[in-house]
Amino acid sequence: MEKRFCRYRTGVIFLSLLVLLGSSFLSAVEVSIPSLELMSWGRVEEGRFGLFSRGYLEIALLGSEEGFGGKAEFLFEDSNLEESRTIPSAYDKSAMEQAFQKTLALKSLSVEMKQIFRLPVSMAYFTGSTDEIGSGEIFSSVFGLSSIASPVKGFLYFPKSIQYQGLHTIAGTGLKLYTEKAFEKLFLATYTYQDQYLGKGKYSSDVWLAFNHAGLQVETFFGASYPISTYGIYRGGLLFHYVTPEGGAFFTQIGVPRWDPKEDTKFTVDLFYFLFEPRVQIGLFGVSLTFFWHPSYYLQTPTGESGITDLYIRFTYGKQPKTSWVAGIENGATLQTNAGEQITYRVTPFFAIVTAGVQWEFRVNVNLYPYHLNSLIETFVGAKTSF
């Protein structure tokens, strides 16, 4: 708790200092909003229909070639905007922690040295939570493609559990060597850092490779952490996306987020993160199926979700960006084999539209099984943009 409070306080102080430095410094810095999201759910609780909102904001300061050669990212996230909190007049660690949950925090900070010795390799010294590996976002940010990622990710699909976002996320303090924009079809990055998930004195090294060619996109990585356990712990994975000329596509993410050779003597399916998603698009009509097997570990931490499987079948009409809108219906089921084979089933009509650079989404969840009148209907409105 003390660590999280210090991180929030550091973010506020650092951003305040940037403002005080004035326009002479900020003129050399590009300010962007990588992500701005607002989501509101409507559901019945305690016999009353109420709204519950989540806000998410990222602010990035990017240095120019002549100025600040680095990047600073700030994060605001709150999963219950309607519940207000105030900073207490007297110091109380728990109360301050809750109050600062609604305050801007420093997500990551990095300083870069581009094209070392005029070679197509750059280096960054970083701290905080940085790159998402195995999510597919690298093909948008580096290669300029439209998103290839599965919609089954993040807070929208996992509001009350682990918010899965790719196979792994680099978090800690260390060095990164990378070849961004050096090759037309290839991206390569290596990391060595003190691992934030494991704590002080525990280090990790990762190698990340992305390949883009026509209708084929591949991401792969391998990492190790040390000194920990007897033989160290390891992770690795693969993202594969292929589009056929006939309109079909295949997307998959498969990996082992954490493997300890000493503890995990039996290499079982529980260790795997596995998402399988075939897609078919014929004109404006589309259909996709998503199968997601939850791993027993994610981001070096036990999930408590081993044996849980999600299955979604999605029918759509419309295709962005060819049309500004997409309408459809989604059938979703969750099987929990770790809780006596419990099954939930829901049907979700949805409509998404892009207006003035903002992605809007409207959803109605009809929770058919198990049936409870109070939780039968849930509504959702979301807006997302970046600039």
Side-chain angles (χ1 to χ4, degrees):
M1 185 174 290
E2 181 78 22
K3 182 177 179 181
R4 288 185 60 192
F5 169 71
C6 291
R7 181 167 62 91
Y8 287 116
R9 182 177 58 187
T10 302
V12 176
I13 293 174
F14 189 77
L15 188 59
S16 300
L17 287 174
L18 292 180
V19 175
L20 292 174
L21 286 174
S23 59
S24 59
F25 175 81
L26 293 177
S27 62
V29 175
E30 176 186 345
V31 181
S32 66
I33 307 295
S35 181
L36 172 59
E37 299 179 13
L38 177 61
M39 304 177 180
S40 293
W41 280 264
R43 60 177 180 266
V44 176
E45 285 195 1
E46 298 179 355
R48 295 182 179 181
F49 183 85
L51 296 177
F52 306 84
S53 300
R54 174 190 185 252
Y56 182 90
L57 169 67
E58 287 186 18
I59 301 174
L61 306 180
L62 305 174
S64 64
E65 297 289 342
E66 300 79 18
F68 173 58
K71 181 179 181 180
E73 289 184 297
F74 300 88
L75 170 67
F76 173 91
E77 182 177 12
D78 194 295
S79 300
N80 194 355
L81 291 171
E82 287 80 10
E83 182 181 325
S84 62
R85 301 186 185 99
T86 58
I87 298 177
S89 56
Y91 177 77
D92 181 272
K93 187 168 65 175
S94 298
M96 293 289 282
E97 165 71 10
Q98 292 181 355
F100 272 85
Q101 285 180 354
K102 296 202 173 194
T103 306
L104 205 62
L106 180 63
K107 180 185 178 185
S108 68
L109 185 64
S110 64
V111 180
E112 299 181 354
M113 184 183 299
K114 298 181 182 293
Q115 296 184 345
I116 305 172
F117 305 119
R118 296 185 179 181
L119 296 174
V121 178
S122 300
M123 182 178 72
Y125 169 53
F126 67 89
T127 186
S129 181
T130 58
D131 297 332
E132 291 178 0
I133 296 177
S135 67
E137 297 300 330
I138 187 70
F139 298 105
S140 300
S141 60
V142 173
F143 299 104
L145 302 182
S146 57
S147 177
I148 66 169
S150 169
V152 181
K153 61 180 181 179
F155 197 85
L156 177 60
Y157 280 84
F158 308 107
K160 298 180 181 179
S161 63
I162 306 295
Q163 294 175 33
Y164 297 98
Q165 194 84 24
L167 295 172
H168 188 66
T169 298
I170 302 295
T173 301
L175 295 176
K176 170 187 176 183
L177 293 174
Y178 64 99
T179 62
E180 184 175 354
K181 299 181 180 178
F183 302 100
E184 181 180 352
K185 300 179 180 180
L186 192 69
F187 171 88
L188 176 65
T190 63
Y191 306 82
T192 297
Y193 55 100
Q194 179 175 265
D195 201 313
Q196 181 176 305
Y197 305 118
L198 301 176
K200 292 183 179 180
K202 303 296 191 296
Y203 297 87
S204 291
S205 296
D206 293 87
V207 179
W208 180 22
L209 176 67
F211 175 76
N212 173 53
H213 177 68
L216 175 65
Q217 288 77 41
V218 178
E219 241 185 289
T220 186
F221 85 102
F222 176 79
S225 299
Y226 49 88
I228 188 171
S229 190
T230 303
Y231 309 106
I233 57 176
Y234 304 89
R235 60 195 161 273
L238 172 73
L239 178 149
F240 181 87
H241 178 249
Y242 178 68
V243 179
T244 68
E246 294 77 16
F250 176 77
F251 177 88
T252 190
Q253 295 166 295
I254 182 170
V256 177
R258 183 185 185 276
W259 177 54
D260 185 337
K262 181 182 178 181
E263 294 182 1
D264 305 316
T265 54
K266 295 183 179 180
F267 204 76
T268 66
V269 69
D270 291 337
L271 296 173
F272 280 83
Y273 180 117
F274 180 56
L275 188 145
F276 171 83
E277 188 174 276
R279 309 163 180 171
V280 176
Q281 188 77 37
I282 303 176
L284 296 181
F285 290 95
V287 60
S288 64
L289 182 148
T290 304
F291 173 91
F292 178 47
W293 173 269
H294 295 225
S296 57
Y297 281 87
Y298 187 67
L299 302 182
Q300 307 279 30
T301 306
T303 63
E305 299 182 3
S306 175
I308 295 180
T309 303
D310 295 319
L311 180 65
Y312 296 93
I313 302 176
R314 197 175 299 104
F315 301 92
T316 60
Y317 182 74
K319 182 182 179 181
Q320 295 173 334
K322 186 176 181 180
T323 61
S324 62
W325 52 269
V326 174
I329 188 167
E330 180 181 84
N331 297 270
T334 298
L335 173 63
Q336 301 185 39
T337 58
N338 61 352
E341 297 190 357
Q342 296 182 6
I343 299 176
T344 62
Y345 175 69
R346 58 207 166 274
V347 176
T348 305
F350 64 89
F351 178 76
I353 187 169
V354 176
T355 60
V358 178
Q359 174 80 43
W360 293 87
E361 186 164 357
F362 306 88
R363 302 168 68 95
V364 178
N365 292 335
V366 184
N367 300 304
L368 297 177
Y369 186 85
Y371 175 81
H372 299 289
L373 184 60
N374 287 341
S375 60
L376 179 62
I377 302 293
E378 291 180 328
T379 61
F380 169 82
V381 177
K384 178 171 62 176
T385 188
S386 61
F387 50 91

